[in-house]
């Protein structure tokens, strides 16, 4: 199993920046990919960005986040990051870390989420 703990959320003004962190523990050597998702009130959870831990660290972003958000990882620290710049009120959401873990089958693990609020 894998445990994920997010941190770094908070309240910022439009145009501000935040960096989210997600620390993984447990069977981290079996993690195939990691990702950030977000869920705003009354909306479905959506992909923010995804990074594979193999195949040259392939990265995928949701279109609305391209150019503003940057996903990265520090394997030595088992930590995933999300640098968020030029934040907008519509970025307000609960941000979740997700890991796809191969333990026989590919199984998804989720963190508890960290709140990001963007308001004047």
């Amino acid at each position: 199993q894998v445990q994920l703990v997010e941190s770094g959320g908070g309240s910022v003004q439009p145009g501000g920046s935040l960096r989210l962190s997600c620390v993984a523990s447990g069977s981290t050597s079996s993690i195939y990919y990691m990702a950030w998702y977000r869920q705003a009130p009354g909306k479905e959870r959506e992909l923010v960005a995804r990074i594979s831990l193999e195949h040259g660290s392939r990265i995928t972003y949701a279109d609305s986040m391209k150019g503003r958000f940057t996903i990265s990882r520090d394997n030595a620290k088992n930590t995933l990051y999300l640098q968020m710049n030029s934040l907008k009120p519509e970025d307000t959401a609960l941000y979740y870390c997700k890991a796809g873990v191969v333990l026989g089958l590919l199984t998804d693990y989720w963190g508890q989420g960290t709140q990001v609020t963007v308001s004047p």
Side-chain angles (χ1 to χ4, degrees):
Q1 290 192 345
V2 169
Q3 295 77 41
L4 303 170
V5 179
E6 303 100 329
S7 63
S11 296
V12 295
Q13 294 184 342
S17 298
L18 282 174
R19 188 176 82 154
L20 307 183
S21 300
C22 172
V23 178
S25 61
S27 301
T28 56
S29 61
S30 299
I31 295 176
Y32 179 71
Y33 75 88
M34 296 188 75
W36 288 100
Y37 280 72
R38 70 184 187 184
Q39 187 167 19
K43 295 187 177 182
E44 293 186 355
R45 193 172 297 188
E46 63 175 348
L47 175 70
V48 174
R50 180 185 189 275
I51 184 169
S52 65
L53 272 62
E54 298 179 355
H55 305 300
S57 299
R58 185 171 58 188
I59 292 174
T60 303
Y61 292 99
D63 287 343
S64 62
M65 285 65 147
K66 287 180 180 178
R68 298 190 301 124
F69 292 5
T70 303
I71 190 172
S72 63
R73 59 183 175 87
D74 184 332
N75 288 343
K77 297 181 179 180
N78 291 319
T79 302
L80 180 73
Y81 300 101
L82 184 68
Q83 177 66 44
M84 304 186 294
N85 299 325
S86 302
L87 284 163
K88 306 174 181 180
E90 51 264 41
D91 294 318
T92 295
L94 191 59
Y95 284 70
Y96 294 93
C97 177
K98 176 184 175 184
V101 182
V102 178
L103 293 171
L105 298 176
L106 181 63
T107 303
D108 293 333
Y109 290 86
W110 293 88
Q112 81 289 349
T114 185
Q115 179 68 40
V116 172
T117 302
V118 185
S119 64

